[in-house]
Amino acid sequence: MSDDIQVTKVFDLKGLACPMPVVKVSKGIKEVEVGQVIEAQTTDPGSLSDFPAWAKTSGNEIVKTEQEDKLIKFYIKRLV
Amino acid sequence: MDMQNVETQLEELKSSLEALNKKTAENKLAMIIFSGDMDKVLASFVIASGAVAMGMDVVMFFTFWGTPVLRDKKKNVGGKDIMGKMFGTMLPKGTGDVKLSRMNMGGMGTAMMKSLMKKKNVASLEEMIALAEELGVRIYVCEMSMDLMGFTREEFIDYKGLGFAGVATFLQEAQNSKIQLFV
């Protein structure tokens, strides 16, 4: 977990293939309040471009992206 | 300019805005699934569920070779004529019978692809249809194809949001959709 970001909920999407990470995160973001941040963990390399595309379209914000080997962590703030 | 004039202009503005709103495309994806190939139908459902994730309303029209993909293996209907029986036997009965568009190799390629998909955690066609239903993707089956191939409504899968319609219904949906795809 990133030290400066307050994460409300963590979603383990590791091992899932397209389109599941984006489908799950679009549902998951609705489980927190507007202004809160979720952490989504994926191992799908496609999510590196898909998550920003989803965030931009849905009107949410990716606050931070971290990468450790194959693991990708997105910190996404619910804005809408 | 007097008040009367301003009011008339306001009315004109209002009506032209209404007309404009009617022309504006909705945040919707309209797809035609003409193909009955496993890979193409799978790709269609991947796009459909992705579109819902992106906040879009999605409607899919299954026509021609795409039609039998939505038949339910467990359902049997009687009373078909000879042609209907022939089509019913020769065409796939649901997702379990559909083949890859390439490298099918007498069914071996399709079986290999299915096991590979499982290994790589890619959702199966059955799972994708269940997901689409959960996400509220609407599906229409082409009545003309059904009539041609002798299918009845009773032999299609149980799917919330399944309808039966013709080309005008598709065009009405497509007309105000941002994206239209033919697969």
Side-chain angles (χ1 to χ4, degrees):
Chain A
M1 199 183 287
S2 204
D3 30 49
D4 51 333
I5 302 167
Q6 181 92 36
V7 174
T8 305
K9 217 162 183 173
V10 180
F11 292 90
D12 180 2
L13 312 173
K14 295 193 287 284
L16 293 176
C18 177
M20 296 319 287
V22 159
V23 169
K24 299 252 180 195
V25 84
S26 70
K27 281 193 202 167
I29 195 90
K30 291 186 182 120
E31 292 176 24
V32 299
E33 304 290 324
V34 171
Q36 289 181 328
V37 174
I38 63 165
E39 177 184 331
Q41 308 172 344
T42 75
T43 48
D44 168 31
S47 60
L48 276 174
S49 83
D50 274 12
F51 273 52
W54 165 79
K56 200 178 173 192
T57 311
S58 65
N60 294 293
E61 186 194 351
I62 295 178
V63 196
K64 193 174 181 183
T65 308
E66 283 175 0
Q67 226 179 324
E68 304 159 17
D69 294 322
K70 284 184 175 173
L71 178 70
I72 308 157
K73 289 178 181 175
F74 294 98
Y75 298 90
I76 309 157
K77 191 184 216 172
R78 181 175 176 186
L79 293 183
V80 286
Chain B
M1 212 189 308
D2 58 49
M3 263 330 258
Q4 183 79 42
N5 222 333
V6 175
E7 268 171 29
T8 324
Q9 281 195 353
L10 200 67
E11 280 308 310
E12 276 171 11
L13 218 61
K14 265 186 192 166
S15 61
S16 64
L17 194 67
E18 260 171 41
L20 208 63
N21 276 339
K22 272 183 197 159
K23 277 187 197 159
T24 315
E26 288 166 29
N27 195 20
K28 183 163 72 174
L29 165 67
M31 301 176 89
I32 295 182
I33 321 301
F34 179 90
S35 167
D37 295 325
M38 187 252 235
D39 38 17
K40 293 184 186 177
V41 179
L42 184 72
S44 306
F45 276 102
V46 170
I47 297 169
S49 55
V52 176
M54 302 290 270
M56 300 184 89
D57 178 22
V58 180
V59 60
M60 300 172 96
F61 285 79
F62 280 73
T63 186
F64 235 87
W65 307 119
T67 315
V69 181
L70 296 179
R71 290 167 81 202
D72 193 328
K73 204 174 185 63
K74 302 184 294 290
K75 292 181 186 168
N76 287 303
V77 290
K80 290 191 181 184
D81 60 15
I82 290 171
M83 288 304 274
K85 275 182 188 152
M86 202 181 80
F87 269 112
T89 316
M90 288 175 73
L91 288 168
K93 196 169 182 188
T95 50
D97 291 344
V98 295
K99 305 275 177 259
L100 286 176
S101 64
R102 299 186 59 185
M103 294 170 66
N104 182 43
M105 299 181 288
M108 232 171 63
T110 300
M112 269 168 63
M113 180 60 84
K114 279 184 183 172
S115 83
L116 197 63
M117 280 165 62
K118 207 166 203 169
K119 200 176 142 202
K120 302 261 183 188
N121 221 354
V122 174
S124 67
L125 189 49
E126 292 80 5
E127 288 165 337
M128 288 308 293
I129 294 177
L131 176 70
E133 181 180 30
E134 188 195 322
L135 294 174
V137 171
R138 291 177 292 135
I139 295 180
Y140 285 105
V141 182
C142 167
E143 288 267 19
M144 190 266 270
S145 302
M146 285 168 60
D147 187 40
L148 211 55
M149 296 169 182
F151 299 148
T152 61
R153 293 183 177 199
E154 289 73 36
E155 63 190 291
F156 285 88
I157 54 165
D158 296 315
Y159 182 99
K160 200 175 76 188
L162 186 76
F164 301 89
V167 68
T169 310
F170 170 73
L171 290 171
Q172 189 201 14
E173 296 273 6
Q175 211 168 27
N176 59 5
S177 295
K178 263 187 190 165
I179 306 175
Q180 300 98 8
L181 295 176
F182 183 95
V183 182

